[in-house]
Amino acid sequence: MSNKTDDIAKLYDQYLMPTYSPAVALVSGAGSKVVDIDNMQYIDLTSGIACLACGHCHPAVTEAIVNQAKVLPHLSNLYYNTNMVLLAQALSRLSGGYKAFFANSGAEANENMIKLARLWGHEKGKYEVITFNKGFHGRTLAMCAATAQDKIQKGFDPMPTGFAYADYNDLDSVKAAINEKTVAVMLEPIQGEGGVIPADEAFLKGVADLCKEKGLLLLMDEIQTGMGRTGSFFAWEQTGVKPDLFTLAKALGGGLPLGAVLARPDIADLLHPGMLGTTFGGNPCACAAALAVITTIEKEGLLEHAKTAGEQLREGLEALMDTYPQILEVRGRGLLIGMVVEGSAKEVVDSCRMGGVLCCTAGEHVVRFLPPLNISEKDLEEALEIIGDSLEELYGE
Ligand SMILES: *Cc1c(COP(=O)(O)O)cnc(C)c1O
């Protein structure tokens, strides 16, 4: 570790709660490239954990943020917020008429989605939400309870009540978890943090049918899969199953904190002023950035590009399987790709970083790749070469 990075690491130890273990100190970025404090350049296949759909410092996104910051960076929800309603209008067009509520993060969006589902079920005394083992829904106390993973809950119990767990891609386990208190089933179309595990088409269809049959709401957490990541604005578009409510965050705000709940209008209209709220939710800078993200994705054909670039990445990684039997599987959709390895995924991530490629883990054995949706063929090719070299370093004789 260089002196400059080392200095920052020391400040971390002294002043921050020890909640993260960061690697390098990035100081600037453009497109799919970032530079660290010691001038080392990387190809970034994490895009801020799926937050930068248009890459680092896309001119349209940067300009939208800067222009808004110059005139009215914040205004509260006491007053009409033009950017917020224009963004809601855009999301309504993309979702087929759903209404929006804006929050500041993924966890907060999910919290509000659960509140709305509970409101819908309130008269019938229904409030329990079925979530899935290995899922991830955020770090607030209720979302820890929704996240059926030991490592997220341990030490913080007792957990808030109102959740039951089922196994992903196992319809019988969902059936078994339903009782008279059940109000909704909540899932990620692809489990991101849990290891890039896509839902089987038949499973999703089965859950949707089950929800209809039992009078339950279907909730989707599209915080990681949304905003073009899998090749359509929302992952559910490719599944033939439409949720009653769904959430967005990560890539929505173009790098600024922004989350959203999208809901069927008849459910949304159960709300009255004062029932949901948040000070910063729908911040005009964040909404301006989000509008620029949507425009850029449409203008630059990034949904299509996410599919072709995703193919390129997938094929490149699959080609490495021939040389390295330590790679067990490559899976995912669009530009949300997981590479399952026999040993430690962190070891692979560290080795790639040393070679100049940033990727991240999703659990112990899955290396996760989430490049910007506009990554060029050339950058991806270069990244694949570096990944190959890093695997050789790690796994070669
Ligand atoms: C990241 C993520 C969250 C949590 O979002 P925060 O903004 O960190 O609260 C929730 N669900 C999924 C699927 C995520 O990927």
Side-chain angles (χ1 to χ4, degrees):
M1 214 184 263
S2 81
N3 282 340
K4 282 183 186 165
T5 308
D6 216 14
D7 289 346
I8 291 175
K10 283 198 189 106
L11 292 176
Y12 257 66
D13 282 345
Q14 199 172 352
Y15 296 111
L16 284 168
M17 297 196 194
T19 59
Y20 303 112
S21 40
V24 293
L26 302 179
V27 292
S28 66
S32 299
K33 303 265 176 75
V34 286
V35 179
D36 78 7
I37 201 164
D38 294 299
N39 255 326
M40 165 99 179
Q41 187 175 283
Y42 305 88
I43 300 173
D44 181 8
L45 304 187
T46 70
S47 25
I49 318 191
C51 289
L52 301 162
C54 307
H56 293 269
C57 298
H58 189 288
V61 178
T62 300
E63 191 182 74
I65 296 169
V66 169
N67 286 347
Q68 184 61 42
K70 279 182 182 162
V71 292
L72 195 64
H74 176 68
L75 71 151
S76 90
N77 283 305
L78 297 175
Y79 310 108
Y80 285 112
N81 177 339
T82 313
N83 289 356
M84 180 164 83
V85 74
L86 290 177
L87 177 58
Q89 185 182 39
L91 291 171
S92 169
R93 170 173 64 81
L94 297 173
S95 63
Y98 280 25
K99 283 189 166 183
F101 170 77
F102 293 103
N104 306 289
S105 69
E108 194 191 359
N110 281 339
E111 289 266 349
N112 283 287
M113 176 160 71
I114 303 277
K115 281 174 80 175
L116 188 46
R118 283 190 177 196
L119 183 66
W120 180 83
H122 196 254
E123 265 178 26
K124 293 184 206 138
K126 291 166 172 259
Y127 59 87
E128 197 167 85
V129 177
I130 297 172
T131 63
F132 290 87
N133 291 316
K134 289 195 176 177
F136 183 79
H137 300 297
R139 303 288 195 141
T140 58
L141 211 42
M143 286 312 107
C144 285
T147 296
Q149 294 196 48
D150 244 10
K151 66 173 184 199
I152 303 287
Q153 299 185 350
K154 219 172 128 201
F156 303 118
D157 49 302
M159 285 288 122
T161 52
F163 297 95
Y165 308 131
D167 290 326
Y168 203 62
N169 286 329
D170 178 351
L171 192 58
D172 286 336
S173 77
V174 185
K175 284 180 189 158
I178 295 174
N179 61 48
E180 70 285 349
K181 300 185 301 272
T182 309
V183 73
V185 178
M186 173 177 179
L187 54 80
E188 299 158 84
I190 299 173
Q191 288 189 325
E193 303 297 316
V196 191
I197 305 164
D200 300 336
E201 211 166 295
F203 170 71
L204 267 186
K205 183 90 182 31
V207 170
D209 289 346
L210 193 60
C211 285
K212 277 214 185 77
E213 183 195 319
K214 303 278 184 188
L216 311 176
L217 295 177
L218 178 57
L219 278 43
M220 285 196 198
D221 177 341
E222 289 249 18
I223 288 164
Q224 190 156 153
T225 52
M227 301 308 289
R229 176 64 37 200
T230 70
S232 50
F233 261 100
F234 316 120
W236 58 256
E237 294 176 71
Q238 295 175 64
T239 66
V241 168
K242 189 170 182 177
D244 300 296
L245 309 173
F246 68 101
T247 47
L248 299 170
K250 292 204 164 88
L252 179 62
L256 295 194
L258 184 63
V261 186
L262 278 302
R264 243 172 50 199
D266 62 296
I267 302 171
D269 289 341
L270 294 172
L271 290 162
H272 301 292
M275 293 183 90
L276 302 183
T278 169
T279 301
F280 280 114
N283 169 272
C285 287
C287 288
L291 282 162
V293 168
I294 292 172
T295 309
T296 301
I297 289 174
E298 293 187 318
K299 230 165 67 183
E300 298 184 4
L302 297 188
L303 299 180
E304 211 37 60
H305 186 75
K307 283 187 193 158
T308 45
E311 282 299 305
Q312 185 193 349
L313 176 56
R314 209 186 161 112
E315 279 165 20
L317 293 173
E318 276 167 359
L320 291 169
M321 292 175 83
D322 298 337
T323 321
Y324 306 108
Q326 292 91 339
I327 306 175
L328 304 178
E329 191 189 351
V330 178
R331 64 192 179 205
R333 200 188 301 148
L335 282 172
L336 172 52
I337 302 282
M339 179 173 83
V340 188
V341 293
E342 208 171 54
S344 150
K346 186 178 176 296
E347 207 173 69
V348 176
V349 169
D350 289 343
S351 175
C352 287
R353 189 181 61 249
M354 248 93 87
V357 162
L358 302 181
C359 48
C360 56
T361 61
E364 246 171 90
H365 299 289
V366 182
V367 183
R368 182 171 35 153
F369 301 96
L370 317 131
L373 305 186
N374 58 0
I375 189 166
S376 70
E377 195 181 328
K378 188 172 149 289
D379 284 352
L380 209 42
E381 199 178 290
E382 198 185 327
L384 279 163
E385 240 164 70
I386 293 171
I387 293 166
D389 293 346
S390 307
L391 289 176
E392 177 61 29
E393 190 83 22
L394 207 59
Y395 298 148
E397 330 273 298

